[in-house]
Amino acid sequence: MPRRDAAPVGEYLRLDIPLDTPLTGPEKGLVDAVEGHARNNGFYFETGDNDLSFFLHALDPAEFEGAVRALLRERGESGGATPRMHGVFTELLGKIDSVRSYGIRGGRRIYATYNRERKVRGRKEKEAARGPWFYALDHGFTPENNPLPGEFRDRVIRGDSEAVLRALPPQCVDIVITSPPYNFGLGYDTTEDGVDWERYFSKLFAVFDECIRVLKFGGRIIVNVQPLFSDSIPSHHIISHYFMEKRLIWKGEILWEKNNYNCKYTAWGSWKSPSNPYLKYTWEFLEVFSKGNQKKEGSREKVDITAEEFKKWVVAKWSIAPEKRMKEYDHPAMFPEELVMRALKLFSYEGDVVLDPFNGTGTTCVAAKKLNRGYLGIDISEKYCETAKRRLKEIL
Ligand SMILES: C[S@@+](CC[C@H](N)C(=O)[O-])C[C@H]1O[C@@H](n2cnc3c(N)ncnc32)[C@H](O)[C@@H]1O
């Protein structure tokens, strides 16, 4: 019976590497050494005449790869590390890397039986019966997209985004990544930050309406936002609710862990008392929505995220230090390039067009340029636009 490439066998996942001829004695010795080296890991080998089978339960893949490479080096050809065994282990490492589904326990990946504890039986059928995103089913968006007109491509434009974006045709940008002013009372160059909340949200939503209009079918909008706890304003929920009302599909929420313990809020008299404790947050949120479809069309050659990045970044808690150059760029609320880079690689393809309607010092445009995406950045401050242009020029 033909074997499947990666088949579950009880507690183990079986990976087969075909062989032209049986392993020699020294080659078997090498396989035993690999098995013996990592006894704590949950795997074993079986050798047949025509293949080497690897039975995999649990593994720390980085540690395993290190051990294999070290043994191949140390043992040399006479110790079984023949050219074909280099090939066999390279193939095996590739196969392990391409196993897409595993659980993680105690730092190791569990490749088989990890969802034994799953409580929901018949999950797929139940999902189908419930149906997805009921709130956006009648979205009415059509799949016809437009190119971004040349005069807006790779540009930083000074102006009010609501007005600037009106000049764009509908559905012409692939992804919006932005961080609006949070209305905390920061000292921006032009923006009055700290107006009454109704005025704040009404302006913000007017800009977002334009963003939704210019976003392509299948495009994504990602908003970095922090709630204002002292005013009991959950901005991240209010914004998400607005997008859902506008029939965008909630793709998820990324928790940006800044590890910033400089949280000053404590209500007077609330120390060690249930009277009015303030919850402290060292993180912000990235709210991710898509328009019309969860799936974004694009060609495989335009994917630039690596397997390791993908595996790490789909875990929606990103630990990234806050931007350190705010003094240098004279802007009070920049986000770090790394945050945008991850979002771009995870949610867009090379060659896509990125819009930031609250562009500030142009961090989004800088990341887009470095990652071979087109960009359009808009900010109301001339000074910030000049800084953004300078940063973009510095990229070779
Ligand atoms: C939080 S900052 C964005 C900072 C940016 N992410 C960076 O890394 O430099 C928000 C920006 O929105 C700009 N802004 C506020 N209202 C605007 C509007 N109506 N149109 C365009 N830009 C606006 C402000 O000047 C400010 O630079």
Side-chain angles (χ1 to χ4, degrees):
M1 197 172 71
R3 283 175 186 151
R4 279 195 291 146
D5 208 32
V9 186
E11 303 274 310
Y12 292 87
L13 184 77
R14 176 182 189 149
L15 304 172
D16 288 332
I17 311 287
L19 300 170
D20 292 337
T21 54
L23 295 182
T24 63
E27 286 173 336
K28 272 192 185 148
L30 171 68
V31 169
D32 289 346
V34 170
E35 199 174 88
H37 181 86
R39 231 170 249 299
N40 285 338
N41 283 312
F43 68 83
Y44 63 92
F45 289 99
E46 265 181 23
T47 49
D49 285 351
N50 299 318
D51 53 19
L52 174 70
S53 299
F54 184 64
F55 291 84
L56 175 58
H57 177 73
L59 196 69
D60 172 341
E63 193 262 353
F64 179 70
E65 178 167 358
V68 167
R69 300 238 178 263
L71 279 165
L72 284 168
R73 236 182 0 256
E74 284 158 18
R75 290 176 71 96
E77 202 161 338
S78 58
T82 55
R84 84 153 167 177
M85 291 309 280
H86 278 267
V88 162
F89 278 108
T90 302
E91 190 178 339
L92 178 62
L93 291 169
K95 282 193 171 186
I96 294 171
D97 196 46
S98 64
V99 177
R100 297 269 171 262
S101 185
Y102 49 79
I104 294 185
R105 224 170 285 147
R108 291 196 312 167
R109 290 184 191 167
I110 314 292
Y111 293 89
T113 70
Y114 56 88
N115 55 19
R116 190 178 275 162
E117 302 121 47
R118 257 209 184 134
K119 291 197 184 104
V120 180
R121 305 265 167 234
R123 189 169 52 88
K124 281 233 155 70
E125 297 73 38
K126 286 176 185 164
E127 260 173 28
R130 289 195 301 266
W133 32 278
F134 67 91
Y135 52 86
L137 286 176
D138 58 345
H139 58 68
F141 300 124
T142 54
E144 289 81 40
N145 291 329
N146 294 299
L148 179 72
E151 69 265 32
F152 291 105
R153 203 184 158 99
D154 298 342
R155 293 276 316 276
V156 169
I157 296 178
R158 192 208 83 79
D160 176 350
S161 287
E162 185 188 350
V164 175
L165 288 172
R166 273 204 208 110
L168 265 63
Q171 308 208 152
C172 62
V173 305
D174 293 276
I175 182 163
V176 177
I177 301 185
T178 197
S179 178
Y182 297 162
N183 209 30
F184 279 13
L186 292 180
Y188 286 108
D189 177 42
T190 317
T191 309
E192 199 189 337
D193 191 50
V195 297
D196 75 76
W197 285 105
E198 282 194 29
R199 197 174 132 206
Y200 169 78
F201 282 114
S202 131
K203 178 66 195 174
L204 187 65
F205 293 158
V207 174
F208 283 162
D209 283 349
E210 281 305 311
C211 290
I212 294 169
R213 188 184 65 81
V214 301
L215 186 66
K216 285 184 183 172
F217 189 90
R220 277 85 189 250
I221 180 159
I222 303 177
V223 179
N224 162 224
V225 61
Q226 192 177 46
L228 191 48
F229 310 105
S230 60
D231 291 18
S232 304
I233 298 290
S235 311
H236 58 323
H237 293 312
I238 295 172
I239 290 170
S240 292
H241 185 252
Y242 186 75
F243 285 147
M244 286 161 72
E245 266 183 0
K246 292 284 158 180
R247 307 290 187 261
L248 294 188
I249 306 165
W250 185 65
K251 184 133 194 73
E253 178 180 81
I254 294 164
L255 193 153
W256 168 26
E257 174 56 88
K258 302 195 291 182
N259 292 311
N260 175 358
Y261 288 90
N262 187 20
C263 305
K264 299 190 193 91
Y265 311 124
T266 321
W268 184 251
S270 73
W271 166 243
K272 213 171 90 55
S273 153
S275 69
N276 189 13
Y278 275 15
L279 299 177
K280 296 184 178 219
Y281 290 71
T282 60
W283 56 87
E284 297 193 11
F285 298 92
L286 271 76
E287 300 299 331
V288 187
F289 282 81
S290 29
K291 178 174 170 181
N293 197 349
Q294 283 286 40
K295 196 169 168 189
K296 188 174 189 327
E297 298 301 334
S299 103
R300 195 76 212 154
E301 295 88 70
K302 299 289 181 191
V303 173
D304 56 357
I305 191 165
T306 66
E308 273 316 302
E309 288 169 341
F310 190 87
K311 282 177 201 166
K312 269 196 225 144
W313 299 346
V314 290
V315 179
K317 181 178 171 186
W318 295 355
S319 207
I320 303 173
E323 175 57 58
K324 293 189 182 71
R325 295 167 298 178
M326 294 198 225
K327 272 213 175 104
E328 182 188 333
Y329 290 123
D330 199 14
H331 191 289
M334 294 168 65
F335 52 25
E337 236 173 275
E338 173 70 15
L339 189 77
V340 185
M341 292 262 197
R342 288 191 192 186
L344 281 177
K345 280 187 163 193
L346 191 57
F347 293 110
S348 73
Y349 297 87
E350 271 192 309
D352 278 357
V353 173
V354 187
L355 163 69
D356 189 340
F358 300 105
N359 193 46
T361 61
T363 311
T364 302
C365 301
V366 166
K369 186 172 179 187
K370 287 186 179 170
L371 292 175
N372 301 319
R373 272 92 171 147
Y375 58 83
L376 168 59
I378 307 166
D379 201 282
I380 201 136
S381 152
E382 182 70 47
K383 185 173 110 179
Y384 299 153
C385 287
E386 288 312 311
T387 306
K389 287 181 194 164
R390 207 174 58 242
R391 289 179 75 191
L392 283 158
K393 250 196 211 137
E394 282 162 11
I395 303 168
L396 297 174

